[in-house]
């Protein structure tokens, strides 16, 4: 693991692109270290490498397999201190503005224009002592069930995250995805009750995915909803898997799924317009997707893609004129006709703790 992180530090010092990541419930670190600083793009998701895509445009960034060195390393346990949840600072400065947007969304939903919309906010915090390797190590150990990553390109910036949401896992014509919605705090058990608002929100997401996959699949199976723990939060999750028809491909499935109703809303186009007009900031790669693209599986050599939705993430910025590193944190909430603005603000605060526990 020491050699792995030496390579990370060298890459960072040379301003060369890289991505390091750890898959859910695994103890292996994987890194792609690009050998030049060129900005590559995926045109049709047929390339091999690591893809990093934004929320609202088609410029899918790529670290190509043939332009990068790949390293793997087993994780070792490192002891570190974690700030108590009660001691984590809360930022109330944008509370009124966020609650006003939620109120507007509830009114729009009540008028029948939208069924559901996901509204988010950005919070910027200062990190006087940011050190990449220690923060990433803390991230992977704190969130063992999440897809944890750090992605860097000198022409784009640095992003880190621990996302609980799979966008898609595909192997040849087989695929797996999930519907994820609803949030409450984890308090000692996953055996919890969910309210009507959360169950309705989850059903919206599930129905959308199934309805939109039917034209490109030969079969689809769906699990019953169940509770998923993601760090200090709980969500409702439904597993969805199936087989693509002969004429369909990965790009078509991703076009159906991204952005999912869990990060955008329904109907998707109308909800997306509402987000772009009202959130008052640019999401960039938050609620985009990322992951392995067309990687040969070790067992049978079949091409496999493993993509995740970019949630519970932060953008790391270091201004050369200042020694202070800043992190932009991103938190979103699903708004339905039953949403209460004050409750949505509290949910966004709870979600901010995911990254604050790692960097503060």
């Amino acid at each position: 693991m020491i050699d792995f992180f030496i390579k990370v530090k060298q890459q960072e010092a040379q301003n060369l692109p890289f991505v390091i990541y750890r898959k859910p419930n695994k103890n292996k670190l994987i890194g792609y270290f690009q050998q030049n600083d060129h900005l590559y793009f995926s045109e049709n998701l047929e390339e091999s490498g690591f893809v990093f895509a934004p929320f609202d445009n088609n410029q899918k960034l790529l670290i190509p397999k043939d332009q990068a060195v790949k390293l793997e390393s087993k994780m070792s346990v490192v002891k570190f201190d974690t700030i108590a949840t009660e001691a984590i600072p809360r930022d109330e400065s944008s509370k009124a503005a966020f609650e006003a947007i939620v109120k507007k969304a509830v009114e729009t939903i009540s008028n029948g224009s939208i069924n559901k919309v996901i509204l988010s906010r950005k919070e910027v915090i200062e990190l006087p002592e940011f050190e990449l390797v220690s923060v990433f190590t803390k991230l992977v150990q704190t969130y063992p069930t999440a897809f944890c990553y750090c992605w860097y390109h000198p022409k784009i910036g640095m992003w880190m995250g621990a996302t609980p949401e799979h966008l898609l896992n595909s192997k040849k014509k087989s695929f797996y995805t999930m519907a994820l919605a609803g949030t409450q705090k984890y308090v000692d058990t996953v055996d919890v009750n969910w309210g009507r608002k959360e169950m309705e929100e989850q059903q919206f997401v599930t129905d959308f995915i199934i309805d939109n996959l039917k034209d490109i699949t030969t079969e689809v199976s769906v699990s019953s909803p169940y509770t998923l723990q993601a760090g200090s939060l709980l969500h409702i999750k439904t597993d969805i898997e199936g087989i693509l028809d002969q004429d369909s491909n990965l790009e078509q499935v991703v076009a159906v799924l991204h952005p999912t109703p869990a990060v955008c809303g329904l109907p998707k186009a109308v909800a997306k317009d509402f987000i772009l007009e009202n959130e008052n900031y640019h999401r960039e790669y938050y609620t985009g997707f990322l992951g392995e693209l067309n990687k040969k599986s070790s067992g049978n050599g079949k091409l496999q893609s493993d993509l995740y939705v970019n949630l519970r993430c932060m953008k790391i910025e270091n201004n050369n004129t200042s020694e202070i590193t800043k992190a932009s944190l991103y938190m979103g909430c699903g708004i339905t006709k039953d949403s209460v603005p004050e409750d949505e603000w509290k949910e966004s605060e709870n979600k901010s703790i995911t990254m604050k526990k790692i960097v503060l």
Side-chain angles (χ1 to χ4, degrees):
M1 194 163 99
I2 294 172
D3 290 345
F4 184 88
F5 284 129
I6 287 173
K7 179 63 176 173
V8 172
K9 288 182 175 180
Q10 287 174 343
Q11 200 84 353
E12 185 185 22
Q14 293 169 1
N15 279 325
L16 290 174
F18 67 87
V19 61
I20 53 176
Y21 57 96
R22 196 275 336 265
K23 292 190 177 185
N25 303 305
K26 303 292 183 185
N27 69 346
K28 182 169 71 175
L29 300 177
I30 302 171
Y32 283 92
F33 302 92
Q34 193 172 305
Q35 296 174 292
N36 58 56
D37 66 354
H38 187 70
L39 209 51
Y40 295 97
F41 297 92
S42 171
E43 299 297 328
N44 50 20
L45 298 182
E46 292 181 1
E47 304 86 353
S48 291
F50 192 98
V51 66
F52 194 67
F55 169 65
D56 69 338
N57 71 44
N58 292 319
Q59 289 202 320
K60 298 179 283 288
L61 301 175
L62 183 74
I63 295 182
K65 179 189 170 189
D66 60 4
Q67 298 292 334
V69 173
K70 181 186 175 187
L71 292 181
E72 296 181 355
S73 175
K74 278 206 166 181
M75 281 173 50
S76 53
V77 177
V78 178
K79 288 187 177 180
F80 54 82
D81 296 324
T82 302
I83 187 170
T85 300
E86 313 79 61
I88 292 174
R90 311 291 175 111
D91 177 14
E92 301 260 311
S93 61
S94 59
K95 183 173 186 286
F98 184 72
E99 290 183 3
I101 298 171
V102 172
K103 184 171 181 287
K104 183 177 179 181
V106 172
E107 290 168 355
T108 304
I109 293 167
S110 299
N111 293 336
S113 305
I114 309 175
N115 293 329
K116 166 192 172 178
V117 65
I118 312 305
L119 293 180
S120 67
R121 66 183 181 91
K122 180 171 82 168
E123 180 180 337
V124 180
I125 59 175
E126 292 190 349
L127 310 175
E129 298 177 354
F130 177 82
E131 199 278 314
L132 168 59
V133 170
S134 60
V135 170
F136 182 75
T137 303
K138 198 171 178 181
L139 185 76
V140 297
Q141 290 187 194
T142 305
Y143 302 114
T145 63
F147 179 85
C148 296
Y149 78 92
C150 175
W151 182 96
Y152 171 73
H153 196 294
K155 296 172 183 175
I156 301 294
M158 179 179 288
W159 287 74
M160 300 181 79
T163 177
E165 184 167 356
H166 233 134
L167 178 72
L168 179 71
N169 182 282
S170 71
K171 190 182 292 184
K172 215 169 179 185
K173 290 292 182 180
S174 301
F175 71 88
Y176 162 84
T177 185
M178 67 166 70
L180 194 72
T183 302
Q184 60 176 280
K185 274 187 174 181
Y186 171 71
V187 185
D188 301 327
T189 181
V190 296
D191 186 16
V192 297
N193 293 317
W194 292 95
R196 187 182 74 170
K197 182 254 182 187
E198 288 80 12
M199 293 301 293
E200 186 180 78
E201 187 183 342
Q202 167 68 5
Q203 198 59 50
F204 277 148
V205 177
T206 305
D207 290 345
F208 171 86
I209 293 172
I210 295 168
D211 288 347
N212 284 273
L213 284 174
K214 64 187 179 188
D215 291 337
I216 58 173
T217 55
T218 57
E219 59 182 84
V220 176
S221 59
V222 184
S223 76
S224 298
Y226 60 96
T227 300
L228 169 77
Q229 182 185 352
S232 59
L233 300 176
L234 299 176
H235 306 288
I236 312 170
K237 179 181 177 182
T238 301
D239 297 311
I240 302 168
E241 52 191 329
I243 308 292
L244 293 179
D245 63 36
Q246 281 303 113
D247 299 323
S248 301
N249 57 37
L250 180 64
E251 187 177 28
Q252 288 172 288
V253 185
V254 170
V256 165
L257 296 176
H258 174 70
T260 72
V263 301
C264 186
L266 288 172
K268 193 152 78 166
V270 184
K272 191 173 180 181
D273 286 343
F274 186 91
I275 289 167
L276 297 174
E277 288 170 16
N278 291 280
E279 274 191 343
N280 298 320
Y281 85 98
H282 182 33
R283 286 189 180 188
E284 297 182 74
Y285 295 91
Y286 166 62
T287 64
F289 66 88
L290 71 161
E292 295 171 342
L293 197 58
N294 298 313
K295 177 186 175 185
K296 277 191 180 178
S297 58
S298 53
N300 52 24
K302 289 182 180 176
L303 293 181
Q304 183 172 356
S305 294
D306 199 23
L307 307 176
Y308 294 80
V309 182
N310 198 12
L311 303 176
R312 313 291 192 277
C313 62
M314 56 185 171
K315 182 181 182 182
I316 307 296
E317 295 178 276
N318 193 337
N319 188 331
N320 292 331
T321 60
S322 166
E323 299 212 354
I324 300 292
T325 300
K326 292 184 178 180
S328 295
L329 313 181
Y330 302 86
M331 296 74 66
C333 304
I335 312 302
T336 69
K337 65 181 187 300
D338 298 317
S339 292
V340 177
E342 173 78 21
D343 293 345
E344 302 302 338
W345 170 261
K346 287 176 184 172
E347 180 178 323
S348 79
E349 279 200 315
N350 289 337
K351 287 178 175 175
S352 76
I353 289 169
T354 304
M355 287 297 111
K356 286 179 179 177
K357 281 183 86 163
I358 302 303
V359 294
L360 294 178

